[in-house]
Amino acid sequence: MENSTSVKSVATTFGVILGLYSILVLVLLYVFNVTETNWVISIINAAVTIIIFVYGIITFKKKNGNLISLKEALKTGMGIAVLSGVIAAIYTYIHYAFIYPEFSEIIYDQAVAQMAEQKMPAEQMEQALSITEYTTSAWFFSLMGLIGSLFFGFIISLLTGLIIRNDQKQAY
């Protein structure tokens, strides 16, 4: 199948859009001091993310004579996921390392309080706190954001590709 547009151009455009959207969400959560998980925000965020991925893959399909294979859908979606994930991960690190480093301390203190409430033995508490310290660092938040972006991007791309694919090999 000959392509009139490249995966790279579409993935770059939508990857930057999704990366900027991710930064916007993190900034808004910080500005409005939203520290607890809010299911409404989570659903809206997931819906917008899915829409950006799907629209990016559909845009690729439209620019290529309304033809797309599963492989091209996956390439496009993963391109979007990688670029948006890297952009968001870089900002996430900056955000939690320099702008809002107290967040890690808040999460750590909550873990300490929970462990004390559960009357955890000192040895277990020490081990758990070393893991908690590791998992509440700015770089860990960034890494998990990137991994989440890749995983979520793969799933959305796979499902979208399976639904909208119509390459020439399928015509009977």
Side-chain angles (χ1 to χ4, degrees):
M1 179 180 338
E2 189 175 311
N3 293 332
S4 61
T5 191
S6 71
V7 167
K8 184 179 178 181
S9 67
V10 174
T12 300
T13 300
F14 287 91
V16 168
I17 290 169
L18 185 54
L20 293 175
Y21 169 76
S22 300
I23 291 171
L24 177 66
V25 168
L26 192 55
V27 168
L28 289 175
L29 291 174
Y30 174 70
V31 168
F32 292 113
N33 198 25
V34 178
T35 55
E36 294 180 19
T37 304
N38 184 320
W39 66 271
V40 174
I41 293 172
S42 297
I43 289 173
I44 291 169
N45 195 29
V48 170
T49 301
I50 291 168
I51 289 167
I52 292 171
F53 272 103
V54 171
Y55 190 64
I57 295 168
I58 289 171
T59 299
F60 178 83
K61 180 181 177 180
K62 286 180 181 175
K63 287 185 174 187
N64 284 293
N66 225 21
L67 296 174
I68 191 167
S69 66
L70 178 59
K71 181 180 177 181
E72 288 169 325
L74 284 169
K75 279 182 175 179
T76 304
M78 290 308 292
I80 294 168
V82 167
L83 187 56
S84 66
V86 167
I87 291 169
I90 290 169
Y91 180 75
T92 298
Y93 179 80
I94 292 167
H95 183 82
Y96 289 118
F98 304 108
I99 298 170
Y100 190 31
E102 308 88 49
F103 182 76
S104 294
E105 295 168 17
I106 292 168
I107 301 296
Y108 185 84
D109 291 344
Q110 287 174 349
V112 170
Q114 278 183 333
M115 289 176 208
E117 188 177 294
Q118 294 173 354
K119 297 179 180 160
M120 189 178 280
E123 282 182 16
Q124 281 184 329
M125 191 169 178
E126 189 177 317
Q127 285 180 327
L129 288 177
S130 69
I131 293 170
T132 301
E133 187 175 350
Y134 175 77
T135 60
T136 58
S137 65
W139 74 267
F140 188 81
F141 291 146
S142 296
L143 179 63
M144 290 298 101
L146 179 59
I147 291 170
S149 176
L150 295 174
F151 178 75
F152 198 57
F154 177 76
I155 299 299
I156 295 169
S157 302
L158 179 63
L159 294 174
T160 304
L162 288 170
I163 293 167
I164 70 166
R165 70 182 173 168
N166 65 347
D167 56 7
Q168 294 171 339
K169 294 177 185 173
Q170 288 181 322
Y172 294 100

